[in-house]
Amino acid sequence: MNQQGHMASYGQPQPGYQGYHQQQLAYDNQHMTGVPPPQYGPYNGPVQGYQQTAVPQGPLRPVPGSAPTSIPPSTTAQQPVYNQYGQGDVHNGPAVPEQMQRVPQSQQYMPGNTLHSGSQPMPYQQYAPSLSHAQQLPNQMAHMQITGVSSNSASPVSQGYGPPASRPPAATSLPPVGPAAYSAAPQNIPSSTPQDNSHPQHPFPGQPSPVSTFLSPPTSIGLTGVIHPPSVGMQRPPTMHGQPLPGQPPSGPYPPQPNHRSLGPQPGMPGPIPGAPTQGFQMHPAPNQGFVPQQNGSFAQMRAPQPNYAAPSTGAPNYSSQPPPQQKRLDPDSIPSPIQVIEDDKSNRGSEPFSTGVRGQVPPLVTTDFVVKDQGNASPRFVRCATYNIPCTSDMAKQCQVPLTTVIKPLATLPADEAHPFIVDHGETGPIRCNRCKAYMCPYMQFIEGGRRFQCAFCSCVTEVLPHYFQHLDHTGKRMDYYDRPELSLGSYEFLATVDYCKNNKFPNPPAFIFMIDVSYNALKSGLVHLLCEELKTLLDFLPREGNAEESAIRVGFVTYNKVLHFYNVKSSLAQPQMMVVSDVADMFVPLLDGFLVNVNESRAVINSLLEQIPEMFGDTRETETVFGPVIQAGLEALKAAECAGKLFIFHSTLPLAEAPGKLKNRDDKKLINTDKEKTLFQPQTSFYNNLAKECVAQGCCVDLFLFPNQYVDVATLGLVTYQTGGSIYKYTYFQAQADGERFLNDLHRDVRKVIGFDAVMRVRTSTGIRATDFFGSFYMSNTTDVELAALDCDKTITVEFKHDDKLNEDSGAQIQCALLYTSCSGQRRLRIHNLSLNCCTQLADLYRNCETDTLINFFVKMAYRAVLNNSTKTVRESLINQSAQILACYRKNCASPSSAGQLILPECMKLLPVYLNCVLKSDILQPGADVSTDDRAYIRHLIASMDVSETNVFFYPRVLPVHKMDVDGDDFPVAVRCSEERLSKGGIYLLENGLNLFIWVGMSTQHDLIQSIFNVQSFGQIDSGMATLPQLDNPYSKKLRSMVDVIRAQRPRFMKLLIVKQEDKMEVLFKHFLMEDKSSNGGASYVDFLCHMHKEIRQLLS
């Protein structure tokens, strides 16, 4: 059975494109020196003389409310293109008139841009013989034809983002986008040749004609578009006529075909003009369906017109009838655009709540702002999957190579308008559980025998219901108290744990925070110690507290250190704090118990006195050496003595060279990069910290590390305890209090205040057929099932991979339950439960229809970043490319309709896999530039390990917002532009952020009024690129931009320091490092080149 999932497909590009020579061009078109050769070798397209046909196209589906789009003229050097830029120069690109924005009404085909109807076959086309080397690279993509279907396939009606199921599917509910509803083209669109209306229109075979009122050109791109029956749970597209969900009536007509069929070829198709090259990525929508110019970042809707073909080509094209093309470039809008996908999802899925009641629903993208209603499955804020429809058999899973993976964020922060998990207290008996597998009571348990017993959804064991928990069943088999009990009706909830769930069968004490401050020469000289002590006076008022508690139950303690450690007694009865020095760092102990860990409010005066004295006490120090291992040991011993869990906040500045346990040496060696020994740079240089981490986890001692290095400090080793205890690392290279104080204090505030669970254990249970086999994140594991965390905060995720151990059943699906046992900040022992049910499939097309690329990339990057510990980066990169190519080749072979090998066909849900994968491959871990330090690589590797899907999404593909286009009167941000230098206009200002870095880039032709409004200076030359904050000016542009910066910072877990970058300034090299669609200075491929390479890999697998 040839089942075809939703796919994006991309037609042939133009024969050449600018900027992809062996040397990279700079802004002024001078060759940049020192740029490595391209990462991927020449791509030669299909075999010469290969005859290529596109599969005819059926009707295509629109996005509700989207206007059709027009085909612009060819992007030759002499012709303008339609794109997002306003008046003025386009930075490193052609100029364009302002009026070519999206036209708000339908258009007919523009004469001269006639494309063939979907009901007719594309003419045979032979490829030219080999060209000279100079022409070879530009022609590589000319043979790559990417074909596809609208991203707007049908979806179930009642999944929380469409009209109610009872509403009739009337054509009036959507804008008039059907074939019959197109109006004449607006007058400002040029026309040059007569319009072709001669092609007949055919509805899809077997499809009721009323549906045709909903059909229009796609918002993605399409050559061989075929309508596919939607799968239950398909989420991405807007609400159309899909198969109803189980238990719901059908809503409107839908295609009844059992298999996906394309229209048969029609005779009489005119052939191509001899010698006319194919130009642009081709689309074959039905006639009379015009296209309007699309906004910036559009997905494949601005491409060159295709010439009218008259007769079959008889050989290699000759260019006698027209001059040779002047370095034509591939239109970037003809390949999948992340911005288009993101914007489509926002418009289709952002307006309605996402209800979790239906099994196997794909949630909106992480970039979409949406509200979740928990109706029996965990919110995607807690749990996200790479696929929501998993293969029934292990053979099928091996065939498709799509990893079965889930990203779990157990303590995720929820928006104010969503209900937080309810706390359920079953008293002394504790939570209700299955007798055999110990799964906790959840909505999937089936009550039988009148409610006296229940059958486990995970292992099928039958368990007696305890008398106090008994309840009668209604006529549907549900308990009468179904909606009164969170554990029966919700996907996420908490149980209060009994003493049986506590260490030594004893309820825990409230946790403690210990602040451990480096007072060596470097830390004092930079202003760190003074700044920190001043801030702690007020910060201690914001310790985490339980619900409406008046004060926090967390106790605090203080230690300072250099080569020796200083402990402080801040007991409330003392007039002044007392210092005790431990100089025997080889055998660490805590010199006092009473008075070290205290209640903040009781000891307020003594603590403030201490914080004032510390900078003065060590102000004249000349001690440059520090210890590190004994510092962690001291904090651990203090928590052991107090019999509580807790967190150490360590503020450290140098490599620990002093004679002590955990002493390190400088082993930084750039010569190891790209060798087999490179992996040693990521490994700890001693086993001391590994053993120390185990002790910390056993005690529930988490370590948060704030680093202030001026040189190499071996983050790979120092960060190991932090990594294994579930802590966080913050790094401020060349820290100066005045320049970096704001960032440090914001990070410290958030770190101290955030929701956190201590002494935690997490276990993931699954229904029969799959099991959790691998875990990624910041934690420790002493066995194969339990994830142990000294602490877990609201920002940390654990990524889990599943494998088959038996067959799955399509009817019963697959269930996952994540249970986290932890101590709250008040000392209460709790269990947080998250449940998720997934669909199972026997057809690969169903799997590919329900994938989530963002989650897939999150898994791939964590897998790769762990693999660099034991493999060369080259091996890791090749492994990622190979697995991704296998995923796409399997789709091509098993789900796409037969077509030429020259076509690149991508699943609709995975059309961004190549661009995102390329971003990962070019990252500083897998392909570092000469200016990236070893410590920075280890630091980034640590951060990524516990990032959630939204963080990895923006980190690898940064958000670029055109500031000059912001609506000063509205709340919305301007639509982002694609992450490429071509998208930057000389007359514009752009904000780029990736969760760690925040830039404002200013073009040299920016209007003086705008510069005055934002920077309070007269001209571009007067802008101070050293400023770290925007001036507070009383005008709408200044207020709006500062508001945007504040909102973006609030969305991210770490404070981003602002950097102003002026065009052609020396800082621009750093800024360009984050333009991920471009070729990178460290040899990373551009998006276009990598897409060619992926196509080549896929074709090799298929052949």
Side-chain angles (χ1 to χ4, degrees), residues 640-660:
K640 278 184 182 174
E643 296 184 346
C644 69
K647 182 186 275 195
L648 312 182
F649 295 84
I650 301 179
F651 305 89
H652 189 79
S653 64
T654 59
L655 191 69
L657 299 170
E659 214 43 65

PDB file of all heavy atoms in Angstrom, residues 640-660:
ATOM      1  N   LYS A 640      24.763  17.176  55.979  1.00  0.00           N
ATOM      2  CA  LYS A 640      24.688  15.881  56.681  1.00  0.00           C
ATOM      3  C   LYS A 640      24.461  16.106  58.163  1.00  0.00           C
ATOM      4  O   LYS A 640      23.620  15.446  58.795  1.00  0.00           O
ATOM      5  CB  LYS A 640      25.991  15.099  56.477  1.00  0.00           C
ATOM      6  CG  LYS A 640      26.088  14.337  55.166  1.00  0.00           C
ATOM      7  CD  LYS A 640      27.385  13.533  55.137  1.00  0.00           C
ATOM      8  CE  LYS A 640      27.543  12.798  53.805  1.00  0.00           C
ATOM      9  NZ  LYS A 640      28.865  12.127  53.724  1.00  0.00           N
ATOM     10  N   ALA A 641      25.209  17.047  58.743  1.00  0.00           N
ATOM     11  CA  ALA A 641      25.092  17.319  60.180  1.00  0.00           C
ATOM     12  C   ALA A 641      23.704  17.839  60.535  1.00  0.00           C
ATOM     13  O   ALA A 641      23.170  17.542  61.608  1.00  0.00           O
ATOM     14  CB  ALA A 641      26.157  18.329  60.597  1.00  0.00           C
ATOM     15  N   ALA A 642      23.111  18.613  59.623  1.00  0.00           N
ATOM     16  CA  ALA A 642      21.776  19.175  59.877  1.00  0.00           C
ATOM     17  C   ALA A 642      20.661  18.208  59.484  1.00  0.00           C
ATOM     18  O   ALA A 642      19.479  18.510  59.679  1.00  0.00           O
ATOM     19  CB  ALA A 642      21.617  20.483  59.124  1.00  0.00           C
ATOM     20  N   GLU A 643      21.051  17.060  58.902  1.00  0.00           N
ATOM     21  CA  GLU A 643      20.082  16.046  58.457  1.00  0.00           C
ATOM     22  C   GLU A 643      19.016  16.642  57.535  1.00  0.00           C
ATOM     23  O   GLU A 643      17.817  16.475  57.754  1.00  0.00           O
ATOM     24  CB  GLU A 643      19.418  15.357  59.660  1.00  0.00           C
ATOM     25  CG  GLU A 643      20.391  14.576  60.520  1.00  0.00           C
ATOM     26  CD  GLU A 643      19.692  13.828  61.649  1.00  0.00           C
ATOM     27  OE1 GLU A 643      18.504  14.130  61.906  1.00  0.00           O
ATOM     28  OE2 GLU A 643      20.327  12.961  62.256  1.00  0.00           O
ATOM     29  N   CYS A 644      19.474  17.365  56.530  1.00  0.00           N
ATOM     30  CA  CYS A 644      18.523  17.945  55.578  1.00  0.00           C
ATOM     31  C   CYS A 644      19.145  17.973  54.190  1.00  0.00           C
ATOM     32  O   CYS A 644      20.356  17.817  54.025  1.00  0.00           O
ATOM     33  CB  CYS A 644      18.113  19.359  56.003  1.00  0.00           C
ATOM     34  SG  CYS A 644      19.437  20.577  55.873  1.00  0.00           S
ATOM     35  N   ALA A 645      18.289  18.157  53.200  1.00  0.00           N
ATOM     36  CA  ALA A 645      18.756  18.384  51.832  1.00  0.00           C
ATOM     37  C   ALA A 645      19.008  19.875  51.669  1.00  0.00           C
ATOM     38  O   ALA A 645      18.711  20.678  52.563  1.00  0.00           O
ATOM     39  CB  ALA A 645      17.705  17.905  50.841  1.00  0.00           C
ATOM     40  N   GLY A 646      19.579  20.254  50.519  1.00  0.00           N
ATOM     41  CA  GLY A 646      19.803  21.682  50.316  1.00  0.00           C
ATOM     42  C   GLY A 646      20.588  21.977  49.069  1.00  0.00           C
ATOM     43  O   GLY A 646      20.859  21.102  48.245  1.00  0.00           O
ATOM     44  N   LYS A 647      20.960  23.243  48.946  1.00  0.00           N
ATOM     45  CA  LYS A 647      21.682  23.693  47.755  1.00  0.00           C
ATOM     46  C   LYS A 647      22.869  24.552  48.162  1.00  0.00           C
ATOM     47  O   LYS A 647      22.757  25.388  49.058  1.00  0.00           O
ATOM     48  CB  LYS A 647      20.746  24.480  46.840  1.00  0.00           C
ATOM     49  CG  LYS A 647      21.411  24.938  45.543  1.00  0.00           C
ATOM     50  CD  LYS A 647      20.501  25.846  44.723  1.00  0.00           C
ATOM     51  CE  LYS A 647      19.571  25.055  43.841  1.00  0.00           C
ATOM     52  NZ  LYS A 647      18.951  25.917  42.799  1.00  0.00           N
ATOM     53  N   LEU A 648      24.012  24.326  47.492  1.00  0.00           N
ATOM     54  CA  LEU A 648      25.198  25.150  47.671  1.00  0.00           C
ATOM     55  C   LEU A 648      25.275  26.149  46.518  1.00  0.00           C
ATOM     56  O   LEU A 648      25.227  25.751  45.355  1.00  0.00           O
ATOM     57  CB  LEU A 648      26.465  24.291  47.676  1.00  0.00           C
ATOM     58  CG  LEU A 648      26.479  23.031  48.545  1.00  0.00           C
ATOM     59  CD1 LEU A 648      27.836  22.345  48.453  1.00  0.00           C
ATOM     60  CD2 LEU A 648      26.135  23.344  49.994  1.00  0.00           C
ATOM     61  N   PHE A 649      25.382  27.426  46.843  1.00  0.00           N
ATOM     62  CA  PHE A 649      25.611  28.463  45.833  1.00  0.00           C
ATOM     63  C   PHE A 649      27.089  28.832  45.909  1.00  0.00           C
ATOM     64  O   PHE A 649      27.512  29.503  46.854  1.00  0.00           O
ATOM     65  CB  PHE A 649      24.743  29.697  46.111  1.00  0.00           C
ATOM     66  CG  PHE A 649      23.268  29.445  45.994  1.00  0.00           C
ATOM     67  CD1 PHE A 649      22.543  28.913  47.060  1.00  0.00           C
ATOM     68  CD2 PHE A 649      22.586  29.740  44.816  1.00  0.00           C
ATOM     69  CE1 PHE A 649      21.184  28.682  46.955  1.00  0.00           C
ATOM     70  CE2 PHE A 649      21.220  29.514  44.701  1.00  0.00           C
ATOM     71  CZ  PHE A 649      20.521  28.976  45.771  1.00  0.00           C
ATOM     72  N   ILE A 650      27.871  28.358  44.934  1.00  0.00           N
ATOM     73  CA  ILE A 650      29.318  28.569  44.971  1.00  0.00           C
ATOM     74  C   ILE A 650      29.701  29.641  43.950  1.00  0.00           C
ATOM     75  O   ILE A 650      29.361  29.534  42.765  1.00  0.00           O
ATOM     76  CB  ILE A 650      30.072  27.252  44.690  1.00  0.00           C
ATOM     77  CG1 ILE A 650      29.682  26.187  45.720  1.00  0.00           C
ATOM     78  CG2 ILE A 650      31.579  27.480  44.707  1.00  0.00           C
ATOM     79  CD1 ILE A 650      30.367  24.841  45.517  1.00  0.00           C
ATOM     80  N   PHE A 651      30.404  30.687  44.422  1.00  0.00           N
ATOM     81  CA  PHE A 651      30.827  31.791  43.560  1.00  0.00           C
ATOM     82  C   PHE A 651      32.349  31.692  43.432  1.00  0.00           C
ATOM     83  O   PHE A 651      33.073  31.987  44.385  1.00  0.00           O
ATOM     84  CB  PHE A 651      30.397  33.129  44.184  1.00  0.00           C
ATOM     85  CG  PHE A 651      28.916  33.189  44.469  1.00  0.00           C
ATOM     86  CD1 PHE A 651      28.408  32.749  45.692  1.00  0.00           C
ATOM     87  CD2 PHE A 651      28.023  33.647  43.514  1.00  0.00           C
ATOM     88  CE1 PHE A 651      27.041  32.778  45.954  1.00  0.00           C
ATOM     89  CE2 PHE A 651      26.654  33.682  43.767  1.00  0.00           C
ATOM     90  CZ  PHE A 651      26.164  33.245  44.989  1.00  0.00           C
ATOM     91  N   HIS A 652      32.814  31.256  42.248  1.00  0.00           N
ATOM     92  CA  HIS A 652      34.207  30.832  42.104  1.00  0.00           C
ATOM     93  C   HIS A 652      34.867  31.519  40.911  1.00  0.00           C
ATOM     94  O   HIS A 652      34.213  31.736  39.884  1.00  0.00           O
ATOM     95  CB  HIS A 652      34.242  29.309  41.925  1.00  0.00           C
ATOM     96  CG  HIS A 652      35.606  28.705  41.973  1.00  0.00           C
ATOM     97  ND1 HIS A 652      36.267  28.480  43.161  1.00  0.00           N
ATOM     98  CD2 HIS A 652      36.443  28.293  40.993  1.00  0.00           C
ATOM     99  CE1 HIS A 652      37.452  27.944  42.901  1.00  0.00           C
ATOM    100  NE2 HIS A 652      37.588  27.830  41.592  1.00  0.00           N
ATOM    101  N   SER A 653      36.186  31.822  41.026  1.00  0.00           N
ATOM    102  CA  SER A 653      36.806  32.644  39.980  1.00  0.00           C
ATOM    103  C   SER A 653      38.004  32.028  39.259  1.00  0.00           C
ATOM    104  O   SER A 653      38.333  32.476  38.171  1.00  0.00           O
ATOM    105  CB  SER A 653      37.236  33.995  40.574  1.00  0.00           C
ATOM    106  OG  SER A 653      38.240  33.784  41.553  1.00  0.00           O
ATOM    107  N   THR A 654      38.689  31.034  39.841  1.00  0.00           N
ATOM    108  CA  THR A 654      39.938  30.572  39.218  1.00  0.00           C
ATOM    109  C   THR A 654      40.048  29.053  39.197  1.00  0.00           C
ATOM    110  O   THR A 654      39.313  28.355  39.893  1.00  0.00           O
ATOM    111  CB  THR A 654      41.167  31.119  39.975  1.00  0.00           C
ATOM    112  OG1 THR A 654      41.087  30.674  41.336  1.00  0.00           O
ATOM    113  CG2 THR A 654      41.225  32.629  39.939  1.00  0.00           C
ATOM    114  N   LEU A 655      40.993  28.572  38.400  1.00  0.00           N
ATOM    115  CA  LEU A 655      41.312  27.143  38.393  1.00  0.00           C
ATOM    116  C   LEU A 655      41.875  26.776  39.768  1.00  0.00           C
ATOM    117  O   LEU A 655      42.785  27.453  40.261  1.00  0.00           O
ATOM    118  CB  LEU A 655      42.351  26.867  37.300  1.00  0.00           C
ATOM    119  CG  LEU A 655      42.636  25.399  36.955  1.00  0.00           C
ATOM    120  CD1 LEU A 655      41.440  24.762  36.260  1.00  0.00           C
ATOM    121  CD2 LEU A 655      43.870  25.296  36.053  1.00  0.00           C
ATOM    122  N   PRO A 656      41.341  25.731  40.420  1.00  0.00           N
ATOM    123  CA  PRO A 656      41.818  25.381  41.776  1.00  0.00           C
ATOM    124  C   PRO A 656      43.210  24.745  41.749  1.00  0.00           C
ATOM    125  O   PRO A 656      43.346  23.534  41.584  1.00  0.00           O
ATOM    126  CB  PRO A 656      40.750  24.405  42.286  1.00  0.00           C
ATOM    127  CG  PRO A 656      40.132  23.830  41.076  1.00  0.00           C
ATOM    128  CD  PRO A 656      40.220  24.868  40.008  1.00  0.00           C
ATOM    129  N   LEU A 657      44.247  25.577  41.914  1.00  0.00           N
ATOM    130  CA  LEU A 657      45.632  25.115  41.826  1.00  0.00           C
ATOM    131  C   LEU A 657      46.253  24.846  43.195  1.00  0.00           C
ATOM    132  O   LEU A 657      47.325  24.254  43.287  1.00  0.00           O
ATOM    133  CB  LEU A 657      46.479  26.165  41.091  1.00  0.00           C
ATOM    134  CG  LEU A 657      46.058  26.465  39.643  1.00  0.00           C
ATOM    135  CD1 LEU A 657      46.810  27.674  39.107  1.00  0.00           C
ATOM    136  CD2 LEU A 657      46.314  25.254  38.748  1.00  0.00           C
ATOM    137  N   ALA A 658      45.588  25.308  44.274  1.00  0.00           N
ATOM    138  CA  ALA A 658      46.153  25.119  45.615  1.00  0.00           C
ATOM    139  C   ALA A 658      46.161  23.639  45.976  1.00  0.00           C
ATOM    140  O   ALA A 658      45.318  22.855  45.511  1.00  0.00           O
ATOM    141  CB  ALA A 658      45.347  25.919  46.634  1.00  0.00           C
ATOM    142  N   GLU A 659      47.114  23.269  46.815  1.00  0.00           N
ATOM    143  CA  GLU A 659      47.285  21.872  47.221  1.00  0.00           C
ATOM    144  C   GLU A 659      46.082  21.449  48.061  1.00  0.00           C
ATOM    145  O   GLU A 659      45.895  21.927  49.180  1.00  0.00           O
ATOM    146  CB  GLU A 659      48.584  21.764  48.037  1.00  0.00           C
ATOM    147  CG  GLU A 659      49.354  20.468  47.875  1.00  0.00           C
ATOM    148  CD  GLU A 659      49.466  19.939  46.448  1.00  0.00           C
ATOM    149  OE1 GLU A 659      50.096  20.595  45.597  1.00  0.00           O
ATOM    150  OE2 GLU A 659      48.896  18.877  46.182  1.00  0.00           O
ATOM    151  N   ALA A 660      45.238  20.584  47.508  1.00  0.00           N
ATOM    152  CA  ALA A 660      44.022  20.138  48.204  1.00  0.00           C
ATOM    153  C   ALA A 660      43.359  19.051  47.376  1.00  0.00           C
ATOM    154  O   ALA A 660      43.678  18.883  46.181  1.00  0.00           O
ATOM    155  CB  ALA A 660      43.047  21.313  48.377  1.00  0.00           C
TER     156      ALA A 660
END
